[in-house]
């Protein structure tokens, strides 16, 4: 999807992007090959070509920072397919209180194509280990992480650097698609199953399991980690579903299926 994206360009919004698609300019390569595009002046077209070539180079070397800087946050979902192998799903568990009232992060779960990793308070969760784990990836997937997970982590670990990588927040993607509800509701909607022992567990249970662990129950910690693992794995599945739905919503699939490329000619 990112190679079909023209809203990277200053002065190109969603409407003009769709005009380009409608006229057969579906990819950056198509744009390069057109002598003239829409009503874009020659000098601006030249600048656009130069910028898109930089974007193309950034994509080739998986420079996620380039896109984090130049693509609006609400459009970071467009990077999902290209950065899937470098993506990480992140979800935190907490003690149940806000940081202002002494609350803290108990578990940070990170799931990627390489598997799941849990960072647990008092064992291996530090600012350094969390930063190292994040630095291994180039694309972030959360559910409501923009509002909850990331700010909570930043309050506990003030020097943590995480905003510099593209972030696909599934909560806001759902709102954009007209889909309301929390992660568990989405799992039910899309027929995503959890193991029997994890069904029905929620955030309140996660707090309870942590307290039981502090009182000596190792089994409670293992169950808490299993609960968090399910959360992060399912973020990955829902991310793929939402990505496909968003592609359909913006209309690119229709143009790809029905449109014709118009290389090396004027498109107006």
């Amino acid at each position: 999807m990112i190679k079909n994206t023209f809203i990277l360009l200053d002065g190109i919004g969603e409407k003009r992007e769709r005009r380009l698609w409608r006229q057969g300019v579906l990819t950056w390569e198509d744009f390069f090959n057109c002598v003239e595009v829409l009503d874009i002046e020659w000098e601006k077209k030249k600048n656009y070509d130069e910028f898109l070539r930089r974007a193309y180079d950034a994509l080739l070397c998986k420079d996620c920072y380039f896109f984090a800087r130049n693509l609006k946050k609400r459009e970071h979902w467009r990077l999902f397919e290209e950065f899937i192998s470098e993506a990480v799903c992140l979800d935190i568990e907490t003690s149940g209180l806000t940081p202002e009232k002494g609350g803290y992060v108990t578990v940070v779960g990170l799931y990627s194509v390489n598997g799941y990793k849990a960072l647990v308070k008092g064992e291996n969760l530090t600012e350094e280990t969390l930063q190292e784990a994040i630095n291994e990836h180039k694309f972030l997937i959360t559910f409501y992480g923009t509002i909850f997970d990331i700010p909570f982590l930043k309050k506990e670990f003030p020097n943590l650097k995480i905003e510099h990588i593209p972030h696909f927040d599934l909560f806001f993607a759902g709102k954009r698609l007209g889909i309301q509800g929390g992660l568990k509701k989405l799992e039910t909607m899309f027929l995503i199953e959890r193991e029997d022992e994890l069904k029905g567990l929620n955030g309140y249970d996660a707090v309870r399991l942590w307290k039981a662990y502090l009182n000596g129950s190792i089994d409670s910690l293992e169950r808490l980690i299993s609960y968090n693992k399910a959360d992060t794995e399912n973020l990955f599945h829902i991310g793929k579903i939402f990505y496909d739905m968003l592609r359909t919503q913006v209309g690119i699939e229709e143009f790809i299926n029905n449109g014709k490329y118009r290389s090396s000619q004027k498109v107006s």
Side-chain angles (χ1 to χ4, degrees):
M1 179 68 210
I2 189 61
K3 287 188 285 188
N4 308 114
T5 296
F6 296 100
I7 55 174
L8 283 162
L9 301 171
D10 184 33
I12 302 290
E14 292 181 31
K15 289 184 178 179
R16 297 196 80 194
E17 181 179 66
R18 287 178 65 87
R19 282 182 64 195
L20 287 167
W21 294 342
R22 187 173 293 111
Q23 297 299 327
V25 182
L26 301 177
T27 68
W28 297 342
E29 289 87 348
D30 292 335
F31 194 94
F32 298 148
N33 291 332
C34 289
V35 177
E36 298 180 38
V37 180
L38 302 180
D39 56 352
I40 300 171
E41 296 178 357
W42 181 83
E43 190 64 33
K44 179 165 282 191
K45 170 66 164 62
K46 182 179 177 182
N47 292 335
Y48 281 169
D49 284 347
E50 181 181 344
F51 183 87
L52 288 178
R53 292 188 194 283
R54 286 168 51 204
Y56 189 81
D57 290 341
L59 193 58
L60 284 178
C61 64
K62 294 299 178 73
D63 180 2
C64 63
Y65 313 117
F66 175 89
F67 296 102
R69 290 193 308 269
N70 292 290
L71 187 63
K72 292 180 180 178
K73 288 184 178 181
R74 73 187 301 265
E75 304 296 341
H76 284 184
W77 66 271
R78 295 177 181 233
L79 296 160
F80 180 85
E81 189 171 8
E82 293 289 345
F83 282 87
I84 191 73
S85 61
E86 289 88 14
V88 62
C89 300
L90 181 147
D91 182 68
I92 71 171
E93 311 300 341
T94 75
S95 61
L97 298 175
T98 64
E100 292 77 12
K101 294 184 177 180
Y104 56 88
V105 178
T106 59
V107 176
V108 178
L110 304 115
Y111 178 79
S112 70
V113 293
N114 296 318
Y116 172 78
K117 176 187 294 185
L119 301 179
V120 180
K121 184 174 180 62
E123 292 187 4
N124 59 348
L125 175 58
T126 65
E127 188 170 83
E128 182 179 6
T129 58
L130 179 56
Q131 188 69 68
E132 288 175 355
I134 290 170
N135 289 347
E136 293 175 1
H137 306 282
K138 297 185 177 183
F139 189 72
L140 178 66
I141 303 170
T142 72
F143 188 88
Y144 207 58
T146 304
I147 304 300
F148 180 71
D149 301 70
I150 305 306
F152 206 115
L153 286 171
K154 289 288 290 183
K155 287 178 181 177
E156 187 156 345
F157 306 112
N159 297 316
L160 183 69
K161 294 179 175 59
I162 193 170
E163 298 91 344
H164 61 292
I165 62 176
H167 182 182
F168 186 12
D169 191 323
L170 302 183
F171 174 80
F172 293 104
K175 287 191 66 175
R176 187 169 178 176
L177 292 164
I179 299 173
Q180 303 290 336
L183 180 61
K184 310 303 184 297
K185 181 179 178 180
L186 295 182
E187 290 173 3
T188 301
M189 181 183 301
F190 296 117
L191 306 178
I192 299 172
E193 291 284 340
R194 292 191 177 221
E195 295 179 7
D196 289 341
E197 66 171 10
L198 300 176
K199 289 180 179 179
L201 292 182
N202 54 34
Y204 173 80
D205 294 305
V207 174
R208 178 179 57 80
L209 288 169
W210 177 255
K211 290 180 179 178
Y213 163 66
L214 293 181
N215 288 326
S217 174
I218 300 301
D219 288 344
S220 294
L221 177 61
E222 291 177 353
R223 195 175 187 203
L224 174 60
I225 290 174
S226 295
Y227 168 78
N228 180 267
K229 180 181 179 183
D231 277 355
T232 57
E233 287 181 344
N234 291 343
L235 287 177
F236 198 83
H237 298 314
I238 294 171
K240 177 63 169 65
I241 293 169
F242 276 6
Y243 171 73
D244 290 339
M245 293 177 71
L246 287 165
R247 278 178 61 96
T248 300
Q249 185 185 72
V250 298
I252 187 60
E253 292 292 347
E254 173 191 349
F255 293 116
I256 287 176
N257 293 333
N258 300 326
K260 294 182 179 179
Y261 288 73
R262 299 188 178 187
S263 300
S264 302
Q265 60 181 317
K266 178 177 179 179
V267 177
S268 59

